Amino acid sequence: MIGRKHISNFGSVRSLERGLLILQTLNRRNGLKAAEVAAATSIPRPTVYRLLETLEGLGFVSRDHSSEKWRPTLQAKSLSSGFRHEDWVTQAAVPEMVRLGREILWPLDLVTFNDHQMEIRESTHNISPYSIDHGMVGVQLPVLDTAGGRAYLAFSREEERAQTLAGLRAKLGLQNPVMLQDGPLMHVLDRCRTLGVGYRKEGYRLSTQSISAPIYSGPRVLACLTVIWTSSALSFEKALDQYRDKLLATARGITDALEQLEVPD
């Protein structure tokens, strides 16, 4: 916690103190709305808004497009070594997600593997006119029954995939061969590799279907980008034809952006 004592003979600068306190508060939490920042710091809300906008202008915080929450950016996190690859991919992905989302109108989710589940790190549901879901950031999804989870497994390196599947079998009590609603797991993963994307036609959500493209950091699948549509509005084959190439190109663009960054180990 930032102390309140003077930091020099000239006295502390109150706005600097408050700005650092806000940055510190955001860094401890996975994003906060401005009102939540005000409550957590006891700083008046108008002052919080002004300081957040100042920090945004300096490149230290950014506003989440889907949840209106504020988070530290890469520039802020570069002040310390305690940040993860996923933080980098979120920053690199958001502009491309918004661009593609505005083009195709269907919602997109950015998912990463976390504790035997896929976690939604970013989403365009709140800006998609076709979305029936909101507030998806932070939602955890099953690996085996979602397009993002299948993309993660299908395109991961063999040893990493084997470790992930061993963990899933132990956690879920699965027996080999693993059978899914739409066939044997290994057949599904082979189909994903043939298509170039993970896919879900049924299972997790009967009213929707989805495809998902891998995002890489070197040889490792770091995240997956998923487009979701309503199955009654669009057949799987038509959606695949219309959106697969655009989704893959967007995922490659995010991968290329990551290669330009000095991603920490």
Side-chain angles (χ1 to χ4, degrees):
M1 192 73 169
I2 296 171
R4 293 295 180 182
K5 63 183 180 180
H6 290 282
I7 57 176
S8 76
N9 292 334
F10 297 102
S12 62
V13 179
R14 187 180 179 91
S15 59
L16 176 59
E17 268 193 339
R18 286 176 161 181
L20 291 174
L21 178 58
I22 287 172
L23 195 56
Q24 199 171 47
T25 301
L26 291 175
N27 198 48
R28 288 197 298 265
R29 305 277 290 277
N30 186 27
L32 290 172
K33 295 181 179 180
E36 294 171 328
V37 174
T41 60
S42 299
I43 299 173
R45 193 179 302 184
T47 303
V48 167
Y49 278 113
R50 186 176 70 251
L51 289 172
L52 284 170
E53 288 173 354
T54 300
L55 289 167
E56 182 181 35
L58 293 170
F60 287 110
V61 301
S62 65
R63 192 190 318 220
D64 190 305
H65 288 276
S66 60
S67 65
E68 291 302 309
K69 291 184 176 182
W70 294 82
R71 291 186 172 90
T73 65
L74 300 181
Q75 185 164 318
K77 295 183 180 186
S78 68
L79 299 174
S80 89
S81 59
F83 57 144
R84 302 171 296 175
H85 281 125
E86 289 85 349
D87 296 315
W88 290 84
V89 76
T90 297
Q91 295 294 323
V94 168
E96 288 299 307
M97 290 178 66
V98 172
R99 180 196 59 75
L100 180 60
R102 286 174 175 164
E103 178 182 351
I104 68 175
L105 300 181
W106 293 106
L108 295 151
D109 286 336
L110 179 76
V111 298
T112 58
F113 180 75
N114 181 33
D115 192 24
H116 302 98
Q117 298 182 89
M118 304 305 294
E119 180 178 347
I120 299 178
R121 297 296 306 275
E122 273 293 347
S123 174
T124 65
H125 277 276
N126 283 12
I127 64 172
S128 168
Y130 296 157
S131 175
I132 58 175
D133 297 302
H134 296 283
M136 297 299 288
V137 173
V139 172
Q140 293 183 319
L141 308 171
V143 175
L144 300 179
D145 297 317
T146 58
R150 291 174 174 188
Y152 176 75
L153 288 174
F155 299 105
S156 286
R157 293 170 293 182
E158 185 175 353
E159 61 273 20
E160 189 168 356
R161 179 169 55 253
Q163 291 175 0
T164 302
L165 287 174
L168 287 172
R169 282 194 294 267
K171 185 177 180 66
L172 302 176
L174 301 174
Q175 301 294 322
N176 280 327
V178 177
M179 297 296 297
L180 306 178
Q181 187 168 346
D182 45 354
L185 173 61
M186 292 307 168
H187 171 77
V188 170
L189 297 184
D190 284 342
R191 178 64 173 157
C192 290
R193 286 186 281 268
T194 299
L195 294 174
V197 290
Y199 70 92
R200 175 184 58 82
K201 293 184 180 180
E202 52 192 24
Y204 175 65
R205 286 232 174 149
L206 295 177
S207 61
T208 64
Q209 297 179 334
S210 56
I211 55 175
S212 189
I215 296 167
Y216 294 92
S217 176
R220 179 190 171 203
V221 176
L222 193 58
C224 297
L225 185 61
T226 305
V227 58
I228 307 102
W229 66 91
T230 304
S231 50
S232 61
L234 203 61
S235 70
F236 180 83
E237 289 72 22
K238 188 170 183 179
L240 191 68
D241 180 62
Q242 290 185 4
Y243 304 132
R244 175 175 53 183
D245 289 348
K246 293 178 180 180
L247 182 67
L248 286 169
T250 300
R252 284 195 297 270
I254 297 170
T255 295
D256 291 343
L258 289 171
E259 291 179 355
Q260 305 304 312
L261 300 173
E262 293 183 5
V263 181
D265 295 329

